[in-house]
Amino acid sequence: MADLRSEFIGIKSPNPFWLASAPPTDKEYNVRRAFEAGWGGVVWKTLGSEGPPVVNVNGPRYGAIYGADRRLLGLNNIELITDRPLEVNLREIKSVKRDYPDRALIVSLMVPCDEESWKAILKRVEDTEADGVELNFGCPHGMAERGMGSAVGQVPEYIEMVTRWVKQHSRMPCIVKLTPNISDIRGPARAAKAGGADAVSLINTINSITSVDLDDFAPEPTIDGKGTHGGYCGPAVKPIALNMVAEIARDAETAGLPISGIGGVTTWRDAAEFMTLGAGNVQVCTAAMTYGFKVVQEMISGLSEYMDRKGFTNTSELVGRAVPNVTDWQYLNLNYVTKAEIVQDDCIKCGRCFAACEDTSHQAITMSDDRTFTVKDEECVACNLCVEVCPVDCIEMKQMAKGSVDPRTGETVGDYANWTTHPNNPSATAAE
């Protein structure tokens, strides 16, 4: 069996699946249940400094986006950081860590942007013997209006400054949690590294309004006739998260910076994808809130079986394997030519490929009187749309052999007429 034991910035856990800082990690009862279910670690829900209490709404806190089968695709929340007393949280953290020494326990923090506030809370967190801290520079609602959360995460200079304070006043490993609500994720990641961060985690939630009540004319969730923007998470944000993780992993200035991947991890496959793009472990929230803590058991067994099939013995062998294959569009090979091919024995004659191609693509699929669908190679540009809309997976993209003639362009495959001078060709660009 593959060894799923994980060591992330010196923090050991029995597997790479951690619960993210969120409602599921808000109290001792939840975290104990999570550890009993098999989670390798948790990031305790964000703590704030003592002072004016945090007060959450007492009405609905979540909005949702559903698929056609009512499967939850995206979750919007307007909940703030923990509204439980700091002293209670710290006492519970210490109790849990004492009873589960083999599990990772990270404490998420968000306090006002001044050095003394950070210094004060770090000392108290150290006394719990937690394994590390995560700096919440990502929350896009509620706390941002108070000069914290994403208000800090959107300013690289603030990220570097606060990270330096944390490293100066604490012995604990420091993870910086980044906001996706920014045009280029590399800037904040570089700032975190410059400040001495041991790792970054991403993505935090995306600023969003998921829906509007068309009777009350207010965003949902609605509180006494009013609504607000919240943080969007769940399976729908995974593509955005994967891209941002990959951008950091392949950036020359942040290459080698450990990454904890967050954003729509629901299955073992999601976790493996994050890891191949450079994440050393993953954090999960929405899947646990949707299916309960035991969802981790499927993640553990699925990742273990996959690693066995691939011959991997340790998760470290998976981390970053896809990064060299992430490139910019200009470096894609125009000599690689494919064509769609319909497997007739598997086709159910629904016609979705025909409708999609005829109306919105390149009119490369024909339909006979008996509803047999075939591909016209001379029109097919290999866009892949037919593959994506087919409900039974009966369409394949077949690579044309080098030396054959592309019936659409008349070019010899592997000898694209303009490739040697085309701006897509990096060697041609360099020569110019």
Side-chain angles (χ1 to χ4, degrees):
M1 293 289 289
D3 184 359
L4 295 190
R5 285 180 297 178
S6 171
E7 183 168 342
F8 183 75
I9 60 172
I11 301 170
K12 296 180 180 180
S13 58
N15 60 63
F17 301 108
W18 293 4
L19 281 174
S21 170
T25 63
D26 190 31
K27 60 174 72 74
E28 181 175 4
Y29 176 82
N30 299 55
V31 174
R32 287 182 179 273
R33 285 178 60 83
F35 284 157
E36 290 301 317
W39 291 91
V42 303
V43 183
W44 202 277
K45 183 168 179 176
T46 306
L47 310 184
S49 56
E50 289 183 320
V54 172
V55 179
N56 274 293
V57 297
N58 289 314
R61 299 181 184 183
Y62 304 111
I65 297 292
Y66 298 101
D69 58 356
R70 200 170 164 77
R71 186 175 64 164
L72 186 70
L73 299 181
L75 194 67
N76 169 291
N77 90 89
I78 61 170
E79 186 167 303
L80 304 180
I81 65 174
T82 184
D83 52 15
R84 303 169 67 238
L86 177 61
E87 190 59 45
V88 172
N89 275 297
L90 294 172
R91 184 172 64 247
E92 292 182 358
I93 291 167
K94 187 169 186 175
S95 173
V96 172
K97 185 58 188 176
R98 179 194 63 215
D99 293 345
Y100 296 89
D102 66 323
R103 309 302 174 94
L105 202 164
I106 311 299
V107 178
S108 177
L109 298 176
M110 182 194 295
V111 300
C113 202
D114 66 81
E115 187 172 1
E116 286 304 313
S117 294
W118 282 98
K119 182 178 179 180
I121 198 168
L122 286 166
K123 175 63 171 66
R124 301 183 70 177
V125 172
E126 279 191 346
D127 291 342
T128 68
E129 300 185 8
D131 295 299
V133 292
E134 182 180 78
L135 314 187
N136 186 343
F137 295 156
C139 184
H141 59 277
M143 305 308 294
E145 289 93 318
R146 309 178 195 198
M148 294 180 277
S150 63
V152 177
Q154 291 168 338
V155 184
E157 293 80 5
Y158 291 173
I159 294 174
E160 181 176 349
M161 176 180 68
V162 176
T163 304
R164 286 189 187 279
W165 293 341
V166 172
K167 293 303 295 181
Q168 179 182 347
H169 296 299
S170 172
R171 58 169 177 76
M172 295 179 289
C174 169
I175 304 170
V176 173
K177 190 172 188 179
L178 302 179
T179 177
N181 302 297
I182 195 163
S183 59
D184 189 342
I185 197 66
R186 294 173 297 179
R190 291 167 182 170
K193 184 175 182 180
D198 297 285
V200 292
S201 59
L202 67 154
I203 58 174
N204 207 311
T205 53
I206 299 171
N207 212 356
S208 65
I209 293 177
T210 49
S211 58
V212 175
D213 186 310
L214 292 179
D215 293 316
D216 294 338
F217 301 105
E220 296 176 313
T222 305
I223 307 295
D224 193 25
K226 302 289 184 181
T228 185
H229 60 91
Y232 193 51
C233 58
V237 312
K238 175 188 157 189
I240 298 168
L242 287 176
N243 176 64
M244 290 189 171
V245 166
E247 286 296 284
I248 294 172
R250 71 190 188 101
D251 179 43
E253 296 186 38
T254 55
L257 180 65
I259 300 170
S260 183
I262 312 170
V265 176
T266 307
T267 68
W268 71 265
R269 184 178 293 274
D270 298 328
E273 290 175 8
F274 270 94
M275 295 174 77
T276 63
L277 288 175
N281 68 9
V282 294
Q283 296 183 35
V284 180
C285 172
T286 307
M289 295 177 73
T290 306
Y291 303 110
F293 285 148
K294 290 186 178 180
V295 70
V296 73
Q297 296 170 8
E298 296 179 10
M299 296 180 184
I300 291 170
S301 61
L303 183 60
S304 179
E305 290 173 6
Y306 166 75
M307 290 176 60
D308 284 343
R309 289 201 312 272
K310 300 296 288 187
F312 299 145
T313 59
N314 189 278
T315 56
S316 62
E317 299 174 55
L318 188 60
V319 176
R321 291 185 76 96
V323 174
N325 294 325
V326 181
T327 189
D328 295 330
W329 196 95
Q330 63 179 322
Y331 300 120
L332 298 178
N333 183 6
L334 296 187
N335 279 318
Y336 179 81
V337 180
T338 61
K339 299 291 180 182
E341 182 177 291
I342 300 172
V343 181
Q344 298 297 336
D345 289 345
D346 296 333
C347 180
I348 60 174
K349 302 183 184 299
C350 69
R352 288 182 62 180
C353 62
F354 173 76
C357 189
E358 188 71 14
D359 290 350
T360 70
S361 196
H362 294 271
Q363 298 77 52
I365 296 179
T366 63
M367 178 177 68
S368 67
D369 292 339
D370 66 348
R371 294 185 66 83
T372 296
F373 300 93
T374 54
V375 176
K376 294 187 288 184
D377 286 347
E378 66 274 16
E379 301 295 340
C380 180
V381 301
C383 71
N384 205 48
L385 178 61
C386 56
V387 175
E388 301 300 344
V389 302
C390 177
V392 294
D393 196 26
C394 75
I395 306 177
E396 303 173 351
M397 301 303 295
K398 295 288 190 179
Q399 182 179 359
M400 294 189 66
K402 184 176 181 179
S404 60
V405 176
D406 185 341
R408 187 180 72 87
T409 65
E411 301 282 354
T412 300
V413 175
D415 188 28
Y416 188 82
N418 299 318
W419 179 240
T420 55
T421 58
H422 196 283
N424 281 18
N425 185 346
S427 60
T429 304
E432 292 173 3

